[in-house]
Amino acid sequence: MEKSQAKWKTILKNYKFSIILLMGVVVGALLGVFLGEKAGVLQPLADIFLNMVFCLIVPVVFVSIANSIANMGNLKKLGKVLGVFFAVVVGGGIITSALGIIAVQIFDPAKGVSVVFDEAVDAGNTSLNLVNLFTTSDFVDLLSINNMMALIVFAILFGISVACIGEKGKPVVTLFEALSEALGKMVSIVMFYAPVGIACYFATLIGKTGSQIIGSVARMSVIYVGFCILFFVAFGIIMPFLGGGKEGLCRYWKEIWLPAATAAGSCSSTACIPLNLLASKKMGIPDEVSSLVIPLGASMHKNGVIAVQIVKIAFLLGVFHMEMGPQEMVKAVLLAVISGIIVGTIPSGGFIGEMFICTAFGFPTTVIPVIVIMGTLTDPFCTMVSVSGDPALAMLVAKIVEGRDWVKAKVFTPAEV
């Protein structure tokens, strides 16, 4: 009985914020149904939350990304492992995106949806202009949320430059570490208001459009969860087999359950790093590979995020009666892969992912709370897919870097602790 109570307490603790957020959605939905169009008086309370989040996005993205890269120190030390890691992450991300596009073509997440937003799509932002997407002509333009990709490129180059100047860059690293902590705390403070802001947003949205939006988000979430389950099984078979053959496959499925279950229970890739490192050790993956791939993977190898971005894009395209043609598919893949690498490295990264979608496709920012709720509903499955893929990726990196004989190494057992 005590163990059961302790288990429930742990679950409630891990899901506390998600539960409160979902309660905010329910309360907001009920208010919207009850008040109807009169719920519009709550719009300012919703706008306060969105405005605070939007104001944080630029400094959080720049400081977090630049700080993460600058802390790598001498970039040459990353060597072959890092090169292989990024090649596999990008290549795998493209494949994941392609599979996601196939899934939404078969199961349209916007089917039957009749939600109308006040703002229309900004046609000027819908073309695939890579120059304008990744660069700006003026530094001041980097301070706008409308140029997120260019800001990310600038942050990456700045972080690399700081790392390359060695000791002279230490004061900058120290400053950015402090700024990162301060901004992270500020995000946490703003998130205390999130349930209120989300509740007010849904109250006004449903007051205007009716209850169709709830059913729409539920359908979208079910499609994504089904995709995650199939992907979890397929990826867990293919990648370990490529990396370690039948022996690697057996080791993977024997040891992956604890990290996967913890990921679903905690909804935190970072929290699963110690368990993934232990699982990798039990799988026999060399420490010099796992000690780099697992922490990096927790931040940058996010197949779950990539897949959910594709579903969100397909949903919004359907809502605004836009077709997912070849150009939209290319843009969706590009955004999804970048989101998979970037979103996990910053606090409250889901909001950044939503901004990527809005700025690239011209969707109004008023759609963000809707797809954020979808992310909240599917977060356990999203995190499970992302976390469980890291040891499998480490196996493939080990094979490329160490050779196929890595699998013959002595397997760690708990008795050796």
Side-chain angles (χ1 to χ4, degrees):
M1 180 66 70
E2 291 181 359
K3 289 184 178 180
S4 178
Q5 290 178 346
K7 182 179 180 181
W8 278 108
K9 287 181 180 179
T10 301
I11 292 174
L12 289 174
K13 181 179 179 180
N14 290 334
Y15 284 97
K16 182 178 179 180
F17 183 75
S18 294
I19 292 173
I20 293 174
L21 194 61
L22 290 175
M23 287 177 61
V25 173
V26 173
V27 171
L30 293 175
L31 284 174
V33 172
F34 179 74
L35 296 175
E37 293 187 1
K38 294 180 180 178
V41 298
L42 299 175
Q43 186 68 53
L45 296 177
D47 291 340
I48 288 173
F49 171 65
L50 293 177
N51 289 343
M52 288 192 297
V53 171
F54 294 154
C55 286
L56 279 169
I57 287 175
V58 169
V60 166
V61 168
F62 175 72
V63 172
S64 300
I65 295 176
N67 179 55
S68 177
I69 295 176
N71 269 306
M72 289 182 182
N74 187 351
L75 299 180
K76 293 182 180 179
K77 292 181 180 179
L78 298 179
K80 188 176 181 180
V81 174
L82 189 58
V84 173
F85 171 82
F86 277 111
V88 175
V89 166
V90 173
I94 293 173
I95 294 174
T96 303
S97 299
L99 292 174
I101 288 175
I102 293 173
V104 297
Q105 293 296 313
I106 298 174
F107 304 100
D108 182 6
K111 183 178 180 180
V113 174
S114 57
V115 178
V116 178
F117 291 94
D118 290 338
E119 299 177 61
V121 173
D122 182 359
N125 285 337
T126 59
S127 62
L128 186 61
N129 188 327
L130 295 180
V131 174
N132 292 336
L133 190 62
F134 289 102
T135 62
T136 66
S137 59
D138 194 330
F139 175 80
V140 176
D141 293 336
L142 294 174
L143 304 180
S144 169
I145 58 175
N146 294 322
N147 296 305
M148 290 301 300
M149 297 296 185
L151 176 66
I152 289 169
V153 171
F154 185 87
I156 291 173
L157 292 176
F158 185 83
I160 291 174
S161 300
V162 172
C164 288
I165 62 177
E167 289 295 324
K168 293 181 180 179
K170 287 293 179 66
V172 178
V173 173
T174 301
L175 172 62
F176 271 51
E177 287 177 347
L179 287 173
S180 184
E181 289 287 334
L183 287 169
K185 177 58 67 175
M186 193 171 179
V187 170
S188 299
I189 294 172
V190 170
M191 287 302 107
F192 280 117
Y193 183 68
V196 176
I198 292 294
C200 292
Y201 178 85
F202 267 83
T204 56
L205 179 63
I206 292 176
K208 295 176 182 177
T209 65
S211 59
Q212 313 100 303
I213 188 66
I214 301 297
S216 302
V217 173
R219 172 183 168 79
M220 182 168 58
S221 300
V222 168
I223 292 173
Y224 174 72
V225 169
F227 178 87
C228 281
I229 293 172
L230 293 175
F231 187 90
F232 172 70
V233 175
F235 190 89
I237 293 174
I238 296 172
M239 286 291 281
F241 183 78
L242 292 176
K246 292 182 180 179
E247 178 64 24
L249 182 61
C250 292
R251 293 183 189 180
Y252 176 84
W253 283 105
K254 181 181 178 181
E255 306 296 345
I256 196 58
W257 297 108
L258 180 57
T262 303
S266 66
C267 295
S268 171
S269 297
T270 303
C272 296
I273 290 176
L275 293 176
N276 252 346
L277 286 171
L278 179 61
S280 298
K281 192 174 186 69
K282 291 181 178 181
M283 293 174 193
I285 301 171
D287 288 342
E288 57 268 26
V289 172
S290 62
S291 62
L292 182 59
V293 171
I294 296 302
L296 278 176
S299 294
M300 301 182 180
H301 184 224
K302 302 273 191 178
N303 285 320
V305 173
I306 290 172
V308 81
Q309 291 294 80
I310 294 294
V311 176
K312 289 176 181 178
I313 291 170
F315 172 77
L316 292 176
L317 287 174
V319 167
F320 287 99
H321 306 292
M322 299 166 62
E323 293 185 2
M324 182 177 270
Q327 177 173 297
E328 286 73 25
M329 289 183 183
V330 171
K331 192 187 299 185
V333 170
L334 181 64
L335 288 175
V337 172
I338 291 175
S339 295
I341 295 173
I342 296 300
V343 163
T345 67
I346 52 184
S348 192
F351 285 100
I352 309 301
E354 326 313 354
M355 285 305 306
F356 287 170
I357 294 174
C358 290
T359 56
F361 284 88
F363 298 128
T365 54
T366 51
V367 306
I368 289 180
V370 175
I371 50 181
V372 165
I373 291 303
M374 181 230 175
T376 300
L377 292 172
T378 59
D379 201 15
F381 295 91
C382 178
T383 309
M384 181 187 72
V385 167
S386 297
V387 167
S388 62
D390 293 340
L393 172 58
M395 282 188 173
L396 185 59
V397 174
K399 180 179 180 180
I400 296 174
V401 175
E402 304 288 339
R404 65 180 60 188
D405 289 341
W406 76 265
V407 79
K408 297 179 181 179
K410 183 175 180 291
V411 180
F412 169 86
T413 61
E416 297 174 20
V417 176

